[in-house]
Amino acid sequence: MAKIIVIGAGIGGMAAAARLARAGHQVSIYEGSDRTGGKCRTEWIGDYAFDTGPSLLTLPAIYRDLFLKTGKRIEHILKLEPVDPAFNYHFADGKSLTFPNLALNKVYDEIEKSLDSKTADEWHRLMQRAERMWDVARGPFVEAELESIPNLMKRKNFLSDIKIISPLTSLRKLTGQYTQSPYLSKIVDRYATYSGSDPRKAPAVLLTIAFIESSFGAWHIQGGIGALSTALEDRVKTLGVQIHLNSEVTQIRNDGSKVLGITTAWGEEVDADIVVANADADLVYNKLLSSELKVAKSERRKLQRSEKSLAGFSLLLGLDNSKLSTPAPKLNHHNIYFPEDYDQEFNEIFDLKRPVSDPTIYICAPNDPLMVKSENKEAWFVLVNAPRHEPQGGWDWSNNPQRYAQKLIAKLDALGLEVSSRLDVMEFRTPLDLQNSVSAPGGSIYGTSSNSARSAFLRASNRSPLRNLYCVGGSAHPGGGLPLVGISAEIVADAIGKA
Ligand SMILES: Cc1cc2nc3c(=O)[nH]c(=O)nc-3n(C[C@H](O)[C@H](O)[C@H](O)COP(=O)(O)OP(=O)(O)OC[C@H]3O[C@@H](n4cnc5c(N)ncnc54)[C@H](O)[C@@H]3O)c2cc1C
């Protein structure tokens, strides 16, 4: 039995802690903020509850497995609900497309109805390619520690697998090989943003996200996805894990080759056999470990070469429909409003580094009675992609964010969504807020982006070259988003089991 310290009580940190405690280790978590869950959180403001982090759960099997293997099944604790339809897409020319949930054939029918059968066929073939990519990529690139390129090259079927994955083709280019539809192209492009990336640079294999979402479904958790954080906190406590809140870790102590423990901001030194870092890898290698540490040099160099994920600007809108004299516009759960020029969004975020002038707008409008206190009310979480907070050489988000919030509300009104006339509560969250609340550098949503063919190899490895240090969570392999973060926890727990 090892004494293990987990730095950070995000989903990845708690998921790893649960698995490790269940395996018999003595685990404690040191969390810098005053709560658990990290980015995954449901916030109440007045009569309205908002998922201010994840608002869409995909691949729930990852968390079913976690809860099952660490105690009671998830179904005894949380009510997981498929969201139907999964998505409503609206385009600048007035066209819209509805994607039903968990029914590939119905998606086909919807595309045929709203566009034509040729485009529906193209979607079908895209999803077939995505499925083949998932079959090939899942094992070596997602579910296991990432091997080096020379080792991957030794794998059986390497050449045929490479043909399917097309590592040097961008997501945008791959889509173009299947369809010229500007509608499908935008829908596929958007999946690059699920890893904080630009579809023109992100590798084609991100098409697998579209397949995963349509095959395994889009899910909600009753009461808000933040309930996952609460359930995980309960689970780790039940397993005997000690959680220390308001306990920022300022140093990972080591003897130059292996971990010795941590030091907290209060100067407390705690010894450990193993440290699992759920803090962003950038902080781990550039702040918590000394820049003199030779064994960490290769990881530090990798992180320097990676590009950071995009950030997000969100509005939390409490809407009181009793203020309207006519029926309120009806939205489904997940709604996307694309702008005319989607490329300009990525130019502004990654190159010009300024707030997007005409952004794609995502509105999460859950039809969940547990997220409002009266039936006349609606709680909308509105998210647009944004450049990171970078006061030097980028955008400084302390610079009049109210103006941007007002601009977005005007845009929502212009879309006919009647926001101003029924607005009861309005708050916003900038990338700087995310940086301050959960130590996400620059407010990046997903750690590093996948903006190049080698991006997977530039993420922090789960097993650090500093012996007995492991990295878990969105900035480590295999990347950000709830499913991957849950997988990273499993990889780390397995790696420690085998250490
Ligand atoms: C606006 C937004 C929307 C999103 N939407 C989705 C979505 O719809 N679906 C989806 O799957 N994912 C989504 N995500 C991504 C998802 O939330 C994250 O990938 C996931 O929650 C990250 O988990 P993590 O384990 O990496 O930890 P984090 O949530 O990053 O938590 C890390 C924790 O470590 C703590 N910490 C950091 N440094 C220290 C230190 N030095 N000492 C002690 N503690 C420290 C932090 O306070 C924090 O609690 C979204 C994220 C955001 C912000």
Side-chain angles (χ1 to χ4, degrees):
M1 184 176 87
K3 186 176 173 199
I4 300 178
I5 287 177
V6 178
I7 305 173
I11 294 291
M14 290 196 289
R19 288 185 182 272
L20 292 165
R22 181 68 175 198
H25 297 290
Q26 184 195 330
V27 185
S28 44
I29 302 180
Y30 286 75
E31 164 56 47
S33 74
D34 59 0
R35 59 176 184 84
T36 62
K39 298 179 183 105
C40 181
R41 179 181 193 192
T42 307
E43 280 184 59
W44 275 93
I45 304 172
D47 289 352
Y48 308 90
F50 304 93
D51 274 326
T52 53
S55 51
L56 163 71
L57 177 65
T58 48
L59 267 187
I62 307 295
Y63 290 96
R64 288 206 177 97
D65 181 74
L66 171 70
F67 278 85
L68 179 70
K69 295 207 175 127
T70 58
K72 267 197 199 147
R73 288 195 299 130
I74 201 168
E75 285 76 7
H76 290 297
I77 305 158
L78 297 171
K79 193 152 189 311
L80 266 59
E81 298 169 335
V83 177
D84 203 14
F87 274 91
N88 277 83
Y89 297 105
H90 304 270
F91 301 92
D93 64 1
K95 272 235 179 310
S96 42
L97 261 176
T98 299
F99 271 35
N101 200 6
L102 287 165
L104 284 166
N105 55 335
K106 285 195 194 154
V107 172
Y108 182 98
D109 294 346
E110 282 293 327
I111 298 176
E112 189 176 37
K113 196 171 82 194
S114 304
L115 301 172
D116 51 59
S117 57
K118 176 177 165 282
T119 314
D121 277 338
E122 289 165 355
W123 179 259
H124 181 62
R125 283 194 292 111
L126 261 168
M127 288 306 100
Q128 285 180 322
R129 171 68 178 265
E131 182 169 9
R132 276 188 286 143
M133 286 174 137
W134 176 238
D135 285 345
V136 168
R138 195 172 60 146
F141 290 100
V142 180
E143 291 179 344
E145 286 182 71
L146 191 62
E147 294 181 53
S148 64
I149 294 176
N151 275 353
L152 285 169
M153 286 168 75
K154 287 183 209 146
R155 289 176 69 90
K156 211 171 104 204
N157 304 333
F158 173 75
L159 285 177
S160 56
D161 288 356
I162 281 293
K163 249 177 107 178
I164 293 171
I165 293 182
S166 295
L168 300 178
T169 305
S170 72
L171 181 63
R172 169 73 64 82
K173 198 161 168 209
L174 183 83
T175 311
Q177 292 169 9
Y178 286 80
T179 182
Q180 295 307 309
S181 160
Y183 307 110
L184 295 194
S185 175
K186 285 195 173 77
I187 289 172
V188 176
D189 273 359
R190 194 175 154 270
Y191 287 105
T193 68
Y194 279 36
S195 72
S197 315
D198 177 341
R200 299 168 301 181
K201 297 180 184 163
V205 73
L206 293 196
L207 186 66
T208 52
I209 305 174
F211 166 73
I212 289 167
E213 194 176 271
S214 61
S215 295
F216 306 116
W219 296 78
H220 174 64
I221 299 176
Q222 203 178 62
I225 293 200
L228 178 64
S229 298
T230 319
L232 255 176
E233 178 181 338
D234 290 346
R235 174 55 51 90
V236 294
K237 283 181 175 161
T238 307
L239 290 163
V241 174
Q242 296 266 333
I243 303 181
H244 305 264
L245 297 177
N246 301 305
S247 300
E248 186 196 352
V249 172
T250 50
Q251 194 194 359
I252 298 173
R253 291 175 17 252
N254 63 85
D255 65 6
S257 64
K258 73 169 189 307
V259 148
L260 298 175
I262 56 149
T263 307
T264 68
W266 311 115
E268 187 189 358
E269 293 196 347
V270 191
D271 294 340
D273 304 313
I274 292 172
V275 169
V276 175
N278 181 217
D280 193 283
D282 204 36
L283 298 178
V284 172
Y285 283 100
N286 293 308
K287 208 173 136 200
L288 304 187
L289 291 170
S290 151
S291 57
E292 307 293 307
L293 183 65
K294 284 208 181 95
V295 290
K297 219 166 136 190
S298 55
E299 287 294 288
R300 210 175 286 123
R301 209 175 319 120
K302 262 178 24 183
L303 292 171
Q304 262 162 15
R305 279 157 51 207
S306 65
E307 189 170 358
K308 301 284 176 253
S309 134
L310 51 70
F313 184 98
S314 54
L315 298 175
L316 318 182
L317 304 177
L319 304 176
D320 183 351
N321 293 338
S322 64
K323 292 186 176 195
L324 294 179
S325 50
T326 51
K330 269 249 146 301
L331 287 193
N332 285 314
H333 196 119
H334 298 295
N335 311 274
I336 310 292
Y337 292 84
F338 284 109
E340 202 162 316
D341 186 355
Y342 200 13
D343 282 1
Q344 181 61 6
E345 174 159 333
F346 300 105
N347 294 338
E348 291 187 281
I349 290 172
F350 289 109
D351 303 329
L352 303 169
K353 298 186 185 216
R354 66 182 189 211
V356 182
S357 39
D358 186 14
T360 303
I361 297 187
Y362 162 64
I363 304 175
C364 182
N367 181 13
D368 178 345
L370 296 187
M371 295 182 78
V372 280
K373 290 210 177 134
S374 105
E375 60 178 27
N376 277 334
K377 300 190 169 173
E378 294 181 39
W380 287 10
F381 172 70
V382 178
L383 179 67
V384 303
N385 293 324
R388 304 169 72 242
H389 174 67
E390 263 181 295
Q392 264 97 46
W395 190 259
D396 181 347
W397 276 105
S398 60
N399 177 10
N400 201 357
Q402 294 81 357
R403 202 172 51 194
Y404 195 57
Q406 289 308 330
K407 182 181 165 131
L408 293 180
I409 290 178
K411 169 114 201 238
L412 294 170
D413 285 338
L415 287 167
L417 297 173
E418 297 200 57
V419 165
S420 301
S421 45
R422 53 182 167 141
L423 199 55
D424 188 21
V425 155
M426 195 285 271
E427 287 195 14
F428 57 81
R429 302 280 184 272
T430 71
L432 177 57
D433 293 327
L434 193 72
Q435 173 172 289
N436 290 339
S437 61
V438 294
S439 304
S444 279
I445 293 183
Y446 300 104
T448 57
S449 75
S450 298
N451 274 351
S452 75
R454 50 184 195 161
S455 50
F457 299 92
L458 299 179
R459 251 180 223 115
S461 306
N462 301 114
R463 192 191 302 251
S464 168
L466 177 67
R467 196 142 49 88
N468 292 348
L469 172 64
Y470 295 83
C471 289
V472 72
S475 60
H477 174 73
L482 293 176
L484 296 188
V485 162
I487 290 172
S488 80
E490 192 179 351
I491 295 175
V492 164
D494 282 353
I496 290 173
K498 287 175 199 153

